[in-house]
Amino acid sequence: MSNSKESNYDTQWPLWEVFTQPRDGKPHEHAGSLHAPDAEKALENARDVYARRKEAVNIWVVQTEDITASTPEDQGPFFDPANDKPYRYPKFYNPPRAVKKRS
Amino acid sequence: MDEQEKQQEFQEKIDSGITIEPKDWMPERYRSQLIRMMSQHAHSEVVGMLPEGNWITRAPSLRRKMILLSKVQDEAGHGLYLYSATETLGTTREKVIDDLLEGKAKYSSIFNYPTLTWADVMVIGWLVDGAAIINQTMLARSSYGPYSRAMVRICKEESFHKKQGYEMVATMAQGTPEQQEMVQDAVNRWWWPTMMMFGPHDDDSPNSAELIKWGVKSKTNDELRQSFVDRHVEEAKAVGIEIPDPELEFNEETGHYDFGEIDWDEFWNVVKGNGPMNRERMKAKREAHENGEWVREAAEEYARKQKLSKEKAS
Amino acid sequence: MSTKTKTLTKQEAFFEYLVRLADDRLILGHRLSEWCGHGPILEEDIALANVALDNIGHAASLYEYAAEVEGEDRHRDDIVYFRNDPEYKNLKMVELPKGDFGFTIARQFLFSAFSFFLYQGLAKADDEQFSGMAEKHLKEIKYHLRHSREWVLRLGDGTDESHQRMQDAFDGIWTFTGELFYMDEVDELLIDEGLGIDTSVFREDWKNLVTDVLEEATVTVPDFDQYMAEGGRKGLHTEHLGHLLAEMQHLRRSYPDAVWE
């Protein structure tokens, strides 16, 4: 056991990301991460770590290395173009006054 | 963009209150300072389980037993949140835990003091968690996103930790003569070590200015210590506990309590590993780690075999 | 004293039944709580603390109800802190030292599997408060069973070392499994009253569940018909319980007049 440091086995297990659904009907949101040897144990650990206070009605776990995220460099090309498309918002439109009053 | 421009842009982001996220560019020193600070914080939570856990099996009522067990369990959770947040900076939990077990990393010196009576555990809840809350409320506004988010979660969960301690301290302070003696004795032993938790004076704290510049911290050690004193002296008075500091006095001019000087020789001595419990704490953590090795190995081997047989089947 | 002592009343039997259930869970919870801060990995530290908390919580509500049934105005802590070991009626299995993680898991699995069947019955007991409690606790027991079962699989079918440790754990604890199904006049009376469960009814189901899991975990199933130790239900314990209670009770007993809530 003393030379364990040299073996490749001194593991803390792979990293997983945990998403919890706080209430029925709500979307899942990122709660945090944890270490687990496999999906079943990740789910159990997530329940014990991130739902000790009834914070969740449902849990997703996914191994961290399986997540593809946009990078800070993507920020401009990904998200800025949305700024100049005002027609995607209801306030862009002017319905006739009479109709507006009724709603 | 050259290094200097990046540095400048980074500082501008910090100054305008923009949160730094894991994949954003950051100065190497910001990264390394955060790894040091956050892993220390995580280690403190995990080592802190030991002095309190020392009394779980001896708790004097079932209610207190359940409270204490769930509190110490929370500390494990908080260590976990913080280790995870540290990992977003490009290190691994294996690495930072190795550093702890090999004595390369520090943790809060407060946990190198022994819990000799039940009252110690309750005074830890009141004073030590009280001090931690002051520190953590500040860190919840830290510039590094994962750190600040972990802190928000921790602060939310910890709100009961101090309260349960103060509640029992109050009960004991108004209890039998033996209980009163026990709780006052615990306060006498824990007050000064708790005061030391905020670290050296600002003049002797080399990291402070930098951490403030980077928005990791927003208050100095001495400022945090002062708010701890102001708050806890009042709480002590309310339940008839005496604070073991003859120089403690309310200063009308500043609106704060003046207090005596910390024994810095003791502080540095404990930091260097010579506190009453340094060796035992590390021994307990190393043993848990070594005794758990076969379990961690087995789970990983099982996962490997399962994956293999699934691949074969498909 | 003659062997023909006075007959047990329903009230006495019910009190005894509740205390036996509670003692099992308190003592097991105590052993589990010893892991806090010493688990094999942080995640598992949290998991074991949860199982410990559940068990102690179940015990707390059972003691509370026992005190109510007794009707002598005792607090649940009076039952917990001021009884000596012969008055404790837990199974011997739960008082054994925590051992290594493998032993803790083996015991948890066997006990949770038993509780899983027992509580399905208790959830239908002819007493609303009792059955409601059992129904609520059953949800947590199902989780304990899942958690421990998954570990038995991983450790039994993990490395050579873990396999051997699990085999040793099951071999070592096996002689204490017979007591799970111990029944005496307390049980008989309560079965007639619709409050207790005839555990022989689900003994085969329990054996099958245990056998399936152990076999899947590549652990050799020890002999169900070997000599089985008993005595816990009559207050005849192993030497371990005395130490456990000394630790658990000493502070409370040192200051019996103090308030510790």
Side-chain angles (χ1 to χ4, degrees):
Chain A
M1 228 175 224
S2 55
N3 61 357
S4 57
K5 289 260 150 59
E6 277 75 50
S7 85
N8 296 324
Y9 264 133
D10 188 10
T11 175
Q12 291 281 320
W13 300 333
L15 194 60
W16 298 71
E17 300 302 323
V18 179
F19 299 83
T20 51
Q21 184 182 24
R23 280 192 307 283
D24 178 53
K26 296 280 171 200
H28 286 65
E29 53 189 47
H30 187 233
S33 30
L34 49 75
H35 290 246
D38 53 54
E40 162 66 22
K41 278 290 163 193
L43 210 50
E44 290 179 17
N45 292 345
R47 178 255 192 200
D48 288 327
V49 174
Y50 291 105
R52 291 201 300 288
R53 290 176 168 83
K54 286 189 152 199
E55 295 97 329
V57 295
N58 190 279
I59 299 175
W60 292 343
V61 290
V62 57
Q63 216 171 318
T64 308
E65 62 177 29
D66 291 336
I67 291 183
T68 311
S70 66
T71 65
E73 290 73 43
D74 291 334
Q75 202 169 354
F78 267 51
F79 309 114
D80 288 352
N83 283 345
D84 56 4
K85 298 187 178 55
Y87 41 81
R88 286 203 169 109
Y89 300 93
K91 66 171 188 273
F92 182 70
Y93 303 93
N94 290 309
R97 218 161 256 243
V99 180
K100 209 166 159 187
K101 258 187 196 154
R102 246 191 310 179
S103 65
Chain B
M1 219 173 5
D2 69 13
E3 184 76 9
Q4 209 186 338
E5 283 169 344
K6 279 184 183 166
Q7 292 263 13
Q8 202 177 342
E9 195 182 70
F10 178 79
Q11 191 60 50
E12 278 162 14
K13 268 169 94 174
I14 300 267
D15 294 342
S16 55
I18 293 174
T19 310
I20 307 300
E21 292 296 338
K23 288 188 168 178
D24 293 346
W25 185 89
M26 60 185 85
E28 262 322 297
R29 186 147 167 88
Y30 178 84
R31 186 188 300 275
S32 64
Q33 282 285 53
L34 272 176
I35 291 178
R36 181 190 59 83
M37 186 172 166
M38 289 162 67
S39 59
Q40 270 184 21
H41 198 157
H43 299 329
S44 302
E45 297 281 353
V46 169
V47 178
M49 294 171 73
L50 298 171
E52 294 185 82
N54 184 33
W55 280 90
I56 291 170
T57 55
R58 294 179 287 172
S61 70
L62 279 190
R63 175 170 179 264
R64 283 289 155 188
K65 192 186 280 290
M66 292 188 278
I67 292 171
L68 183 58
L69 183 50
S70 63
K71 173 175 190 281
V72 182
Q73 182 196 38
D74 273 351
E75 317 287 4
H78 299 168
L80 199 154
Y81 306 157
L82 286 162
Y83 281 129
S84 304
T86 314
E87 285 181 278
T88 62
L89 289 159
T91 186
T92 63
R93 195 157 95 189
E94 281 94 328
K95 167 84 177 66
V96 292
I97 287 184
D98 256 19
D99 285 350
L100 172 72
L101 298 178
E102 285 171 17
K104 287 192 226 156
K106 300 245 179 303
Y107 55 88
S108 180
S109 280
I110 192 78
F111 301 120
N112 289 320
Y113 291 85
T115 48
L116 302 176
T117 70
W118 171 255
D120 288 34
V121 185
M122 297 301 112
V123 168
I124 288 181
W126 173 41
L127 295 182
V128 176
D129 288 316
I133 288 167
I134 288 172
N135 195 36
Q136 287 166 349
T137 312
M138 169 189 72
L139 292 171
R141 295 186 300 267
S142 136
S143 59
Y144 188 56
Y147 196 18
S148 116
R149 288 192 285 273
M151 276 302 142
V152 169
R153 200 178 184 100
I154 289 172
C155 286
K156 230 192 255 170
E157 297 188 352
E158 280 216 343
S159 53
F160 97 83
H161 292 188
K162 179 184 169 182
K163 229 172 152 181
Q164 63 85 31
Y166 189 50
E167 180 191 81
M168 183 93 247
V169 166
T171 304
M172 291 183 77
Q174 280 132 46
T176 65
E178 290 98 333
Q179 280 180 308
Q180 292 178 14
E181 198 182 319
M182 198 189 280
V183 73
Q184 183 62 56
D185 166 65
V187 173
N188 294 348
R189 281 181 290 109
W190 287 91
W191 176 258
W192 287 107
T194 309
M195 291 283 280
M196 296 175 197
M197 280 175 72
F198 297 97
H201 283 311
D202 299 342
D203 304 340
D204 303 322
S205 178
N207 294 319
S208 251
E210 195 175 46
L211 291 172
I212 288 173
K213 184 185 92 179
W214 280 333
V216 177
K217 293 175 67 169
S218 51
K219 285 184 180 137
T220 68
N221 294 352
D222 285 329
E223 284 170 343
L224 293 168
R225 189 160 23 234
Q226 185 67 58
S227 42
F228 168 78
V229 172
D230 291 342
R231 192 176 303 176
H232 289 78
V233 169
E234 293 297 331
E235 288 174 2
K237 274 189 189 162
V239 297
I241 290 281
E242 227 168 281
I243 300 295
D245 180 357
E247 292 175 49
L248 196 69
E249 207 185 341
F250 189 72
N251 184 330
E252 295 285 353
E253 231 168 86
T254 59
H256 296 292
Y257 278 91
D258 292 337
F259 50 90
E261 191 53 74
I262 287 170
D263 179 353
W264 293 108
D265 288 341
E266 178 181 332
F267 173 80
W268 289 113
N269 197 36
V270 181
V271 169
K272 284 182 186 129
N274 298 317
M277 296 297 283
N278 294 55
R279 287 171 185 84
E280 275 96 325
R281 298 288 184 245
M282 276 307 96
K283 185 165 170 273
K285 285 326 290 180
R286 269 197 296 271
E287 273 172 13
H289 186 76
E290 279 164 19
N291 293 337
E293 188 173 1
W294 70 272
V295 178
R296 299 192 300 272
E297 266 178 42
E300 193 140 87
E301 177 61 10
Y302 178 83
R304 193 187 64 84
K305 285 197 246 177
Q306 290 288 310
K307 212 173 153 192
L308 217 64
S309 69
K310 232 186 230 168
E311 280 167 10
K312 261 189 206 153
S314 64
Chain C
M1 206 163 50
S2 88
T3 48
K4 262 214 148 196
T5 45
K6 70 180 181 79
T7 40
L8 212 56
T9 66
K10 177 183 164 190
Q11 184 196 21
E12 286 163 344
F14 196 26
F15 173 79
E16 179 73 11
Y17 195 78
L18 291 167
V19 166
R20 286 177 181 183
L21 285 171
D23 286 349
D24 287 347
R25 281 146 191 87
L26 175 66
I27 302 300
L28 182 61
H30 181 106
R31 287 301 187 209
L32 287 164
S33 77
E34 292 173 344
W35 278 100
C36 193
H38 307 277
I41 194 166
L42 212 40
E43 280 78 0
E44 199 49 38
D45 231 307
I46 297 170
L48 285 180
N50 257 357
V51 184
L53 271 171
D54 288 346
N55 274 286
I56 297 170
H58 296 177
S61 26
L62 287 161
Y63 285 127
E64 212 167 291
Y65 193 36
E68 197 182 314
V69 167
E70 186 188 42
E72 287 179 15
D73 210 24
R74 282 209 287 176
H75 187 270
R76 65 183 186 201
D77 284 347
D78 297 327
I79 306 176
V80 171
Y81 288 93
F82 295 96
R83 275 181 310 149
N84 296 328
D85 27 326
E87 297 161 279
Y88 263 81
K89 302 298 173 55
N90 57 278
L91 302 164
K92 283 180 167 175
M93 172 194 273
V94 295
E95 72 202 35
L96 301 174
K98 76 183 200 300
D100 68 1
F101 185 72
F103 183 83
T104 285
I105 287 298
R107 165 166 60 193
Q108 193 61 49
F109 168 66
L110 295 167
F111 183 81
S112 298
F114 174 79
S115 300
F116 170 68
F117 292 112
L118 177 69
Y119 271 64
Q120 289 180 45
L122 294 178
K124 298 188 200 98
D126 201 8
D127 177 296
E128 221 169 278
Q129 195 171 339
F130 186 36
S131 63
M133 203 184 289
E135 202 178 336
K136 194 164 155 258
H137 297 175
L138 179 60
K139 289 182 199 159
E140 291 171 337
I141 290 165
K142 283 181 184 166
Y143 185 73
H144 304 163
L145 179 58
R146 174 171 174 171
H147 171 259
S148 55
R149 176 186 173 276
E150 293 294 336
W151 266 123
V152 170
L153 297 178
R154 279 158 187 74
L155 299 176
D157 193 16
T159 60
D160 291 346
E161 181 185 357
S162 73
H163 173 81
Q164 193 54 49
R165 281 178 184 261
M166 281 324 274
Q167 187 66 57
D168 292 347
F170 280 108
D171 289 347
I173 202 170
W174 212 253
T175 187
F176 297 98
T177 56
E179 200 183 12
L180 285 165
F181 295 91
Y182 172 91
M183 282 190 287
D184 61 13
E185 66 278 8
V186 173
D187 301 85
E188 281 155 24
L189 195 153
L190 289 178
I191 291 165
D192 289 344
E193 296 283 348
L195 289 170
I197 301 302
D198 179 356
T199 53
S200 65
V201 171
F202 62 79
R203 190 165 193 165
E204 282 311 306
D205 295 332
W206 177 82
K207 276 187 188 176
N208 291 337
L209 172 63
V210 169
T211 304
D212 287 350
V213 173
L214 264 60
E215 280 175 356
E216 194 183 336
T218 71
V219 172
T220 308
V221 183
D223 182 6
F224 282 108
D225 298 322
Q226 65 172 265
Y227 169 76
M228 290 293 172
E230 280 184 356
R233 292 288 188 236
K234 290 289 176 202
L236 293 167
H237 291 281
T238 66
E239 290 177 349
H240 304 294
L241 184 67
H243 293 278
L244 186 155
L245 292 180
E247 183 176 340
M248 184 173 90
Q249 297 172 334
H250 97 271
L251 172 61
R252 181 63 182 255
R253 286 195 182 198
S254 302
Y255 307 97
D257 304 326
V259 175
W260 297 106
E261 272 294 270

